[in-house]
Structure formats: C-alpha cells, structure tokens
Amino acid sequence: MPVGRRPMSERGQLELFRARGSDLAPRDTQDLMAYPFFSLSKSHRIQPIDFSAGDVVIRVEAVPEHGMATIWDADILIWAASQIVEARDAGLRTSRLMAATPYEILTFIGRGVGARDYQRLKAALDRLQSTTVATTIRQPAQGRRHRFSWINEWVERTDRRGRPAGIELIVPDWFYRAVLDEALVLTIDRDYFSLTGGLDRWLYRLVRKHGGRQRAGWRFDLRHLYLKSGSLSPFKRFAFELRDIIRRQPLPGYTLFIEVEISGRVLLAFEPSVRGKPVDGLVLSGTRTIVPSGTRGSCYREPKQGLTDCTVSENRAPNLESNTESNSYGARGIVESSAEDGSRDETQTRHPPVSPHTSFSKSGVPTPELPLEPKPRGAK
C-alpha cells in the first residue's frame, strides 16, 4: 500500500501499523457505547455535550469550522478498533499510528467508494480531529480528567495524478488502551452500519453494551435515557422518536418495547429477539414479523405491546449477575433510572398487585390471602 514519505510528528515514537483487510468483525469499546460522546444529528453542532452521573463526567466540545464529530464519524473508530484487535489476536505488532487506503476504510464501514464518499471521509476525519473530549472515565485519581481528540492527527497521501493513495492517522492513547483491554471491547453486528438514524445507532450501542444476550434484557427510565443521549431535541420529541423506533424495530438482534410501572413511570425495555427459534418462522400471516418480547411466537392475533408470557407468574429477576457497570445504576432494582446520586428510589421497589383478598402488615407491605381462608368472627 503506497504511503507518503514525509514523516508525521509522532512517527519517531510510534511504530507504523498498516491496516489489514476489510473482512474483519466490527468491534467497539464499551465506553463509547454507554456514554454520550458524539452528536446524534448530521447537522452542524457546536453546542457542547455535558454529562455527569456519579463519578463519570464527560464534556465534548467542537470548533465552529468543522462542528462536532457525529455518530456516523465514529464508524472510523470502529474500523480502527477492529483492525487493532484482529492484529493483536494474530500476534502482530500494533500501534496508535495506522495506515490504510480510503477504499479499505469505506468498504469496512459499508459506504460507497466514489469521489463524494471520499470527500465525506475527509470531512469526518476533520471532525474527529477537531472535536475534544474531557472525561473522568478510567482515570486513577478521583476527579481527574483526561483530555484528548478522537484523532491526534491525520495525513492524506495522493499519487502523481492526484488520486488518493493512502491515509495515516494517530488514535489517542485513551482510545488505544481501551481497545487493547479485552474486557472493554464488544463485537457488534455488521448490520449496525446500515442503520440510518442517529438515535437508532446510539440506542443499538447502548443496548449491546448493557444487555448483551441476557434473557431478561434490561430496562431504562426514559428521562435517564434522554439525559444519557446528549440529544438537543426536547424530551417530548425524544420520546416520540423512541416510540417510532419501537414501531419499526430496526435494531439487529434485539426487540424493544414499552413498560409502564404501577406508579406510572414509563420504561424502555429490550430483550434478545431470538429465543431458540427465530420468531419469523412462527408468526402467522397478517402478524408483524417481530413479535413484542415476552409474547408467544405462535400467536393468532396482533399481541399487545409489553405483555409477558403467560407462563411467567412473577416479576423478572434482576440482572445483577452480569455487567456490573450497567447494574451500578440499577442495583436497587432492574431499572436504570435517573437517580444517580445513590439515594434509594422507592418506585423501584415492586410489590404484587393488590387484590380484594389482600391485607396489610404493620410495615404497609401487602400480604396476599386465599379467597376461602377462614376469617375472624364478625369479619367479612
């Protein structure tokens, strides 16, 4: 692969790593999946992203000339992470300084390879290089912030005819160390690159990070989800777009649905969409190909959103045995809510539905009784 001769400023300290083929599995780091690091809109965003939850603080800033890096620009980081992981697993030397052709990058992330696509690639590299991030994530000292850009610098090479011949770029140490840590990297579905909506893409990354393939899935308080997205849209617009995503079910491998608690709090829930057999093979004509999670696949009519399987007689168990980071938000229940300050959220304590044959203890907890159980003399 032809690469220019002029050295980059950090080449004396870093070994040049040449990217391999484009048929590798896409990889992403869990930090980038779980937090608001990118703009979810293709419009020119200048307003910073400020996010704070417990010990995690994130501030993302952009320059007026290029605007903030978008979630589509992050595809280049997915390409870089995939290259580094595959090379490391193959026993090859890796480096923060990488070299590739535009064709290799564009084909990996599912883009075209025309002149217009190449210009968009260069604009994305400019946004990644000019966007700055300050975060406390993975910092040894409490309150300490690491500041970096998604790409330290990049160089474009052309041949004698002016055609693109290669690209060299340097990824930041914060990103590079996360990629080399096996516990921080997850494989994502290649169909992710076909998602056209910014919220669709962000939601898939969040779902993939928090849920994996847990049978009981995961749940999010809508308000907390809104804060975590970094979206500039009003909350009502955000909730409307979420409901549209639930209607379309675009996320590969997952089914989304709405749950409403007795208190009235609305939750976004998701579960793996395949349980043993694909639901497509069990759905009768006239029914949606994706059945809402928890409903029998062999249904004869359109199932209601959010119903649970008739074989389930109690609330789902908390997913506290896996994914400790995501559970740190919802350790008080199975819902990741906006109560980030560590105080107990009383709405997360669930009790069975109150029936006419229910009495209450001194603590106020309902105690179910059998309908035909003998009553004290004089009681009805």
Side-chain angles (χ1 to χ4, degrees):
M1 171 188 323
V3 179
R5 299 178 179 176
R6 188 182 61 172
M8 298 177 72
S9 59
E10 296 191 25
R11 180 172 293 177
Q13 304 174 11
L14 302 173
E15 180 183 356
L16 182 66
F17 167 59
R18 297 181 183 275
R20 308 174 69 197
S22 59
D23 56 344
L24 306 178
R27 312 289 182 95
D28 202 355
T29 64
Q30 296 190 38
D31 293 333
L32 300 190
M33 291 180 170
Y35 296 105
F37 283 110
F38 303 98
S39 171
L40 304 185
S41 173
K42 292 182 179 179
S43 59
H44 195 81
R45 174 168 178 169
I46 302 299
Q47 183 174 336
I49 295 176
D50 282 299
F51 176 80
S52 178
D55 295 334
V56 175
V57 177
I58 297 173
R59 180 173 175 84
V60 184
E61 298 175 308
V63 298
E65 181 180 359
H66 300 294
M68 184 176 295
T70 69
I71 199 164
W72 292 272
D73 301 337
D75 289 355
I76 298 175
L77 299 179
I78 295 177
W79 166 83
S82 308
Q83 299 289 336
I84 295 172
V85 170
E86 293 291 340
R88 180 204 62 192
D89 293 346
L92 303 177
R93 285 190 176 183
T94 61
S95 171
R96 294 196 292 121
L97 174 57
M98 307 177 65
T101 62
Y103 177 85
E104 290 172 331
I105 300 176
L106 290 170
T107 54
F108 183 90
I109 61 179
R111 310 282 178 87
V113 293
R116 186 177 182 183
D117 299 294
Y118 179 55
Q119 294 300 323
R120 289 178 174 175
L121 175 63
K122 293 197 295 182
L125 290 169
D126 283 337
R127 285 189 292 270
L128 290 169
Q129 194 276 328
S130 60
T131 299
T132 59
V133 179
T135 180
T136 59
I137 296 177
R138 289 189 279 109
Q139 296 306 301
Q142 185 176 5
R144 175 181 171 182
R145 299 192 184 188
H146 191 136
R147 182 175 291 274
F148 59 90
S149 296
W150 292 119
I151 294 178
N152 287 14
E153 55 180 296
W154 70 279
V155 175
E156 174 190 12
R157 303 301 182 195
T158 58
D159 59 17
R160 295 180 180 179
R161 298 182 180 180
R163 296 177 301 188
I167 289 177
E168 295 180 14
L169 58 90
I170 300 176
V171 296
D173 183 64
W174 185 90
F175 173 79
Y176 183 69
R177 285 188 285 109
V179 172
L180 293 181
D181 188 341
E182 294 183 2
L184 296 178
V185 177
L186 287 175
T187 302
I188 63 176
D189 196 307
R190 185 163 286 277
D191 288 342
Y192 165 81
F193 295 122
S194 64
L195 296 176
T196 57
L199 188 57
D200 296 34
R201 284 171 160 248
W202 174 78
L203 200 57
Y204 173 80
R205 293 155 70 103
L206 187 72
V207 165
R208 180 70 185 91
K209 190 271 178 187
H210 282 274
R213 297 200 64 83
Q214 297 180 77
R215 290 184 177 181
W218 199 252
R219 282 134 189 85
F220 292 93
D221 177 269
L222 254 63
R223 286 283 179 181
H224 174 64
L225 205 62
Y226 173 66
L227 296 175
K228 208 166 188 180
S229 70
S231 174
L232 292 177
S233 302
F235 175 74
K236 288 186 177 181
R237 178 65 185 178
F238 177 83
F240 173 81
E241 292 178 354
L242 279 184
R243 293 181 183 274
D244 181 64
I245 292 175
I246 294 172
R247 178 187 61 81
R248 294 185 286 109
Q249 296 292 344
L251 305 192
Y254 296 94
T255 301
L256 306 176
F257 51 99
I258 289 292
E259 287 186 351
V260 181
E261 293 184 323
I262 298 177
S263 63
R265 184 171 61 163
V266 181
L267 309 176
L268 176 70
F270 65 85
E271 294 177 358
S273 58
V274 177
R275 294 181 177 181
K277 295 182 180 180
V279 293
D280 295 2
L282 298 176
V283 178
L284 302 180
S285 177
T287 306
R288 291 185 298 178
T289 56
I290 298 182
V291 179
S293 178
T295 305
R296 287 183 175 179
S298 56
C299 54
Y300 283 83
R301 61 180 179 176
E302 185 83 356
K304 294 181 180 180
Q305 193 76 296
L307 294 179
T308 58
D309 196 305
C310 62
T311 61
V312 178
S313 59
E314 59 183 0
N315 291 329
R316 297 183 177 97
N319 298 315
L320 302 180
E321 74 280 357
S322 61
N323 206 345
T324 56
E325 181 181 348
S326 62
N327 282 305
S328 65
Y329 293 106
R332 302 177 297 278
I334 64 171
V335 181
E336 182 172 344
S337 73
S338 56
E340 299 286 1
D341 56 357
S343 60
R344 181 175 177 84
D345 186 354
E346 296 297 337
T347 62
Q348 292 181 4
T349 304
R350 301 187 179 184
H351 301 297
V354 179
S355 69
H357 306 288
T358 302
S359 62
F360 291 83
S361 64
K362 295 181 178 180
S363 60
V365 179
T367 304
E369 298 179 356
L370 295 177
L372 301 180
E373 184 176 358
K375 302 292 190 302
R377 179 174 298 178
K380 295 183 179 180

